[in-house]
Amino acid sequence: MTGLWLLLGLSALLLLLLLVPCRIRAAYHEGELTADGRWLLWRFALWPLPEKSPAAPPEKKPAGKPAAPKDKKDSRPFMDWLQLINDLLPALRTALRRIFGAVTLKQCRITMTVAAEEADQTALRYGRAHALLYTLYAFLSRHIHVREFAVSLSQDYLSGPEGEMADADLLLLISPLALLAAGFRLLWQGGRAYLRFAS
């Protein structure tokens, strides 16, 4: 009986930990993009990627008999692959919908100054920037939860192209539990489709 209570307690603790959202923070300042993540006490860099230590040179294998070529299996017809993709699409669509539902854009702040060589070009770039940013906002709000999307656009008619600048700060919250549920559902449905394909 004690083992059962211990198992239930561990399951409840794991569930509570999975309810804690993962925080992804990205920033663009002075032409440099940085991104990092945090979940509980674990922090990890996303961009720039940490530098890898140089790999040791591969050891030379002694000359011997060349490896025998592997027997090629009979390849499946292209229609079978098309059928597999068609079977996987509904599961993939459902998984993507659940994954997007697990993402919350908690904060997005963009400050941008538009400039060009001529005044008319500056005005055109200003209008284009407005259109692009609010098209992005419409796309995001249709697919994920958006809490804050603040844009500050201005025009600089005096400095020329050198006056153009942009800063952005972004904070995403992602539910690990929802991601795991979507992944298991995709694995279950996709696995059954693949087994039918492989049989």
Side-chain angles (χ1 to χ4, degrees), residues 96-139:
L96 286 176
R97 193 179 300 119
R98 289 177 178 270
I99 289 171
F100 285 145
V103 177
T104 298
L105 180 58
K106 185 177 182 181
Q107 183 186 85
C108 180
R109 295 176 181 170
I110 299 172
T111 304
M112 187 173 179
T113 301
V114 180
E117 292 183 359
E118 302 294 337
D120 59 339
Q121 295 175 359
T122 301
L124 287 172
R125 289 176 69 84
Y126 181 74
R128 187 179 175 202
H130 262 290
L132 290 173
L133 286 170
Y134 285 101
T135 300
L136 175 64
Y137 170 72
F139 174 82

Side-chain angles (χ1 to χ4, degrees), residues 138-161:
F139 174 82
L140 290 175
S141 60
R142 193 164 56 244
H143 292 92
I144 66 174
H145 306 291
V146 178
R147 291 187 187 171
E148 180 187 354
F149 191 92
V151 175
S152 175
L153 279 176
S154 60
Q155 306 168 71
D156 185 350
Y157 290 101
L158 302 176
S159 303

